[in-house]
Amino acid sequence: MTGRSYKDAGVDIDAGQDMVEGIAPLAQATARAGAEATLGGFGGLFDPGAAGFRDPILVAATDGVGTKVKIAIETGVHDTIGVDLVAMCVNDLLVQGAEPLFFLDYFASGELDVGTGVDVLAGISTGCRQAGCALIGGETAEMPGLYAGGDYDLAGFAVGAYERDGGLHPGRVQDGDAVLGLAADGVHANGFSLVRRVIADLGLPLDVPAPFDADQTLGRALLTPTRIYVPGVLPEIRAERIKGLAHITGGGLMENIPRILPEGLEARLDAAQWPLPPVFGWLARDGEVPMAEMLRTFNCGIGMVAVTDPAHAEATADALREAGHPTYRIGTVALHPDDDSPRVKVANAEAAWLG
C-alpha cells in the first residue's frame, strides 16, 4: 500500500543531499593548516598543533545576522548574508586576541531551496577565506510549519585561539591611552529591526534607488556585508601594539566600548574626527532617529575600536590603513567621574554629522 513519506510532510531529504554536494567545493576552498575542510562526517576536525600553536587557549563565539536576513529574503540576494554571519563571529574572536581557526554554520528553512542555500554558503565561504578560517561543517534543517515557505535563518559558530601568554584583556587599558576607530562598511548586521521600521514608515520599496546612494538599490545598499577585520588587525595584536579591541555591534558605541575598559575609566570620543557614512545620516534625518538612539543602536561608521598607547597610535593607524582599513584617531581614555554618567562620551555628533 502507499504510505506517508517525509517528503509528503514537507521535508525533502534528496534536496538536502543535493545541497551538501553543492557546497562541498565551497568548504574545500577554505582549507587551511590544521583542517582539510571536508564535509560529510558527523563532526569537523581541527589540529591546533598543525596550525602552529604550542599551548593554545581556545576562544568560541556564536552569532546570527538578525533581521538583516529579511532584506536578503525580500530582495532575493543571498550571496552576501553569509559574509555577515562569519564576520559577526570572527570579529568577536579577534577582540579577544584570537586567530579564527574554524567555522560551522546552521541553516534552517521552511522549504529548502538548493540554489538559495548554495548562495548563502558561498557567502560563508567568502567570509571564511577573508578571515583565514576553515569551514569544517554545519547543519541544514528543513522545518515546514516553523518557517514560512521562502524564509530561512542562520547561525554561525567559530573557534579561535591564542597562545597562553597572549590574548587581550581589559586590564591593559590605561588613562591617557589613544582610541582608534576602524571604519565600518555600512550598517553591518545590527539594528535592522529599526532600519526596517524606518523603511516601512517611509513606504520605500527595496528595489528603488537608495536615498543615500543613487548608484544602487536600497536593498543592495543595505546588504553591504559586515567588514572582516582579521587580516589587518591580527598582526598588530601580535606585535603588541594594541591593548584592547571592541567590536561595535548591537548596543553601538555606547554599550560596546565599556566592555574593554577597566572600572574607573571612560572613553571620550570626538565625532568630528571621523565621517558619518551616508546611510546613517539618512536614518537620522529621514528616519527621525535621535542622535542618542543612533549612538546606542548603530556603529555610526566605526566597526571596531582599538585602544593603543599614545606613542604607538599613529604607527598603528598607518599599519591598519595600509592593510585596507580606514582608521581614525577618534578619542582618548580618561578617568571616569564617580557618578552615573555614561562611560562613553561623544562630543560634536550633531554639529559634525547633521549640522
Side-chain angles (χ1 to χ4, degrees):
M1 74 178 195
T2 302
R4 296 185 180 90
S5 69
Y6 210 4
K7 189 171 184 178
D8 293 336
V11 179
D12 190 340
I13 295 173
D14 293 332
Q17 185 59 37
D18 288 344
M19 183 166 165
V20 170
E21 293 174 1
I23 66 178
L26 301 173
Q28 291 165 3
T30 70
R32 53 153 292 163
E36 295 181 356
T38 57
L39 300 181
F42 289 96
L45 305 179
F46 192 92
D47 181 357
F53 286 91
R54 302 181 309 278
D55 188 15
I57 299 294
L58 298 181
V59 183
T62 183
D63 212 336
V65 294
T67 59
K68 185 173 185 177
V69 74
K70 289 293 289 183
I71 307 292
I73 292 167
E74 290 169 9
T75 58
V77 177
H78 306 288
D79 58 357
T80 61
I81 201 75
V83 179
D84 287 290
L85 186 67
V86 175
M88 296 303 291
C89 295
V90 298
N91 287 342
D92 279 355
L93 297 179
L94 184 66
V95 300
Q96 301 286 112
E99 174 189 348
L101 301 178
F102 60 86
F103 186 87
L104 301 97
D105 70 277
Y106 177 77
F107 178 92
S109 64
E111 181 179 351
L112 181 59
D113 180 89
V114 175
T116 296
V118 170
D119 282 350
V120 171
L121 267 293
I124 291 173
S125 176
T126 296
C128 286
R129 293 197 304 274
Q130 290 179 12
C133 65
L135 175 60
I136 66 170
E139 177 69 13
T140 300
E142 193 172 12
M143 296 184 284
L146 185 58
Y147 294 94
D151 284 349
Y152 62 86
D153 200 8
L154 303 171
F157 312 88
V159 172
Y162 58 79
E163 294 291 358
R164 188 172 296 274
D165 58 356
L168 295 177
H169 310 285
R172 300 173 61 186
V173 177
Q174 298 176 309
D175 177 25
D177 281 343
V179 179
L180 305 179
L182 285 69
D185 284 339
V187 183
H188 283 183
N190 297 101
F192 269 86
S193 292
L194 179 53
V195 172
R196 292 171 53 246
R197 177 63 181 269
V198 168
I199 293 171
D201 288 349
L202 294 175
L204 291 175
L206 292 173
D207 59 357
V208 301
F212 49 87
D213 184 356
D215 291 335
Q216 55 184 333
T217 66
L218 177 58
R220 281 278 187 179
L222 292 175
L223 284 172
T224 301
T226 304
R227 179 180 283 255
I228 292 175
Y229 296 93
V230 174
V233 174
L234 193 58
E236 295 304 298
I237 296 173
R238 289 177 169 168
E240 299 184 349
R241 286 190 286 265
I242 289 177
K243 291 185 170 185
L245 286 167
H247 184 199
I248 309 305
T249 56
L253 294 164
M254 304 303 292
E255 302 296 334
N256 285 291
I257 296 177
R259 297 166 69 177
I260 63 168
L261 299 176
E263 288 297 323
L265 296 181
E266 67 180 28
R268 298 177 184 173
L269 311 183
D270 181 358
Q273 301 306 309
W274 80 90
L276 184 74
V279 61
F280 297 114
W282 169 70
L283 286 166
R285 292 189 181 93
D286 292 14
E288 300 180 349
V289 180
M291 187 54 62
E293 190 68 18
M294 293 289 299
L295 290 167
R296 69 189 298 266
T297 302
F298 301 113
N299 64 58
C300 293
I302 299 296
M304 185 163 286
V305 162
V307 177
T308 71
D309 187 290
H312 298 152
E314 290 309 313
T316 302
D318 285 344
L320 292 170
R321 293 181 193 116
E322 289 176 8
H325 301 299
T327 301
Y328 313 93
R329 189 164 178 171
I330 63 174
T332 60
V333 175
L335 294 175
H336 179 66
D338 187 16
D339 59 21
D340 294 329
S341 64
R343 295 183 66 203
V344 176
K345 296 179 172 67
V346 183
N348 300 317
E350 294 277 358
W353 294 341
L354 302 179

